Amino acid sequence: MITVVGSANVDVIAEAEIFPVQGETVRGKSFQTAPGGKGANQAVACAKLGETVQLIGSIGSDEFGQTILANLRNQKVGTAYIYQTDGPSGVAVILLTEEDNRIISIPGANHALKPERIKELLDVIRNSQLVMIQLELPKSVVWQVLKLCKQFQVPVVMDPAPSGSFQLDFMPYLTYLTPNETECAAIFGASMEEAAEKYPNQLLVTLGSKGVCYHDGERLIHVDAVPAKVIDTTGAGDTFNGALASQLVRQCDLQQAIQFANAAASLSIEKFGAQGGMPSRQEVLRKIEEMNNA
């Protein structure tokens, strides 16, 4: 069982040829809403890859809350520990161009989750094979989860987004930290190579089309990305994290787990939507087989 503690949103997505600069209005190409939130995304990624997964989080009393809940159930994510609170659900406003995205995250009900709720779920944490967490939650909740995982010796994968909420004091509690290159620089104030060497086999830096780098205790390891025809990069990092977790609970070694996660992320960006492009395990294995036979 993988437990994800994190945010669940509705994404409000606008696509245009270019991003507007300050004070500018540009004509858009399309608009839609879609399920999102880094916690929900990572949970769905795990579920699509065939894992048993549950999400701990909070939704609002609005229609978006019911939309979020129905989608998670449809994707076979466990929802027994999703709490409903008065007020609006979380929303992410996403601006897309052909190969890039910019996101404004509005926490809403996600920040109504309290440490007391986590304390009620001791057995859930204790019986998890692995816990995934991000930083779209109150910091007090993050700390409560990390301390319980440490107490029960449950591995933790943290996606440090938004990176401004990250604390270096988290590191002793984490099995893996998966920042992108920009987040890594903001968190550690050092080059990727220096940071990775300081945290061997713990810090996995995602580099988009350049793959993933980490230090194995002896040297810097670079795991190549899988080439893809980019349609929408939204959710690629969440797909990577979910796929990484799915392999770790299957006892794969780290490099193989990253290779699998890279293949999953490459498939995700060839379709539209954070969750819409997330692949099944069969699709990822087929992609890896194609690469090996090329």
Side-chain angles (χ1 to χ4, degrees), residues 64-121:
F64 279 170
Q66 294 309 306
T67 298
I68 291 166
L69 201 59
N71 174 69
L72 290 169
R73 289 171 175 165
N74 186 54
Q75 299 289 356
K76 296 181 171 55
V77 173
T79 60
Y81 309 110
I82 295 179
Y83 302 98
Q84 187 173 52
T85 186
D86 291 338
S89 299
V91 173
V93 179
I94 301 173
L95 302 180
L96 294 179
T97 64
E98 287 187 1
E99 295 190 5
D100 200 1
N101 67 71
R102 299 181 185 184
I103 302 173
I104 301 171
S105 179
I106 302 164
N110 293 303
H111 275 202
L113 188 64
K114 302 299 180 185
E116 292 73 26
R117 288 288 195 187
I118 305 302
K119 290 179 183 178
E120 296 170 358
L121 303 176

Side-chain angles (χ1 to χ4, degrees), residues 8 51 56 62 130 141 144 190 192 202 218 255 263:
E51 306 303 332
I56 298 173
D62 55 1
L130 180 147
V141 171
Q144 186 65 56
M192 175 188 68
Q202 183 186 20
E218 296 181 357
Q255 188 164 347

Side-chain angles (χ1 to χ4, degrees), residues 26-244:
V26 300
R27 185 179 298 277
K29 293 171 60 178
S30 66
F31 170 82
Q32 65 176 287
T33 59
K38 297 191 74 64
N41 288 348
Q42 292 177 18
V44 169
C46 290
K48 285 193 171 184
L49 291 166
E51 306 303 332
T52 301
V53 58
Q54 57 196 354
L55 178 64
I56 298 173
S58 181
I59 58 172
S61 55
D62 55 1
E63 290 185 11
F64 279 170
Q66 294 309 306
T67 298
I68 291 166
L69 201 59
N71 174 69
L72 290 169
R73 289 171 175 165
N74 186 54
Q75 299 289 356
K76 296 181 171 55
V77 173
T79 60
Y81 309 110
I82 295 179
Y83 302 98
Q84 187 173 52
T85 186
D86 291 338
S89 299
V91 173
V93 179
I94 301 173
L95 302 180
L96 294 179
T97 64
E98 287 187 1
E99 295 190 5
D100 200 1
N101 67 71
R102 299 181 185 184
I103 302 173
I104 301 171
S105 179
I106 302 164
N110 293 303
H111 275 202
L113 188 64
K114 302 299 180 185
E116 292 73 26
R117 288 288 195 187
I118 305 302
K119 290 179 183 178
E120 296 170 358
L121 303 176
L122 295 184
D123 287 341
V124 175
I125 301 295
R126 182 191 288 117
N127 294 324
S128 299
Q129 292 174 275
L130 180 147
V131 167
M132 304 179 70
I133 194 165
Q134 321 78 38
L135 298 177
E136 293 181 336
L137 297 174
K139 199 170 292 184
S140 58
V141 171
V142 174
W143 269 121
Q144 186 65 56
V145 172
L146 295 183
K147 289 174 181 177
L148 288 176
C149 288
K150 189 82 165 178
Q151 178 182 342
F152 299 132
Q153 299 183 354
V154 176
V156 178
V157 176
M158 177 181 279
D159 177 356
S163 61
S165 296
F166 185 83
Q167 296 179 213
L168 285 175
D169 290 346
F170 290 156
M171 291 304 292
Y173 294 83
L174 306 179
T175 312
Y176 300 105
L177 181 73
T178 61
N180 61 33
E181 195 169 10
T182 301
E183 291 163 346
C184 182
I187 288 169
F188 297 107
S191 70
M192 175 188 68
E193 294 81 5
E194 291 171 331
E197 186 173 3
K198 186 175 180 180
Y199 298 101
N201 296 306
Q202 183 186 20
L203 178 59
L204 316 178
V205 185
T206 61
L207 307 171
S209 62
K210 298 177 184 177
V212 174
C213 277
Y214 71 100
H215 200 283
D216 71 353
E218 296 181 357
R219 63 190 177 92
L220 193 70
I221 304 294
H222 179 261
V223 184
D224 289 335
V226 176
K229 182 180 179 182
V230 178
I231 301 297
D232 179 8
T233 60
T234 309
D238 296 328
T239 303
F240 174 89
N241 279 280
L244 178 74

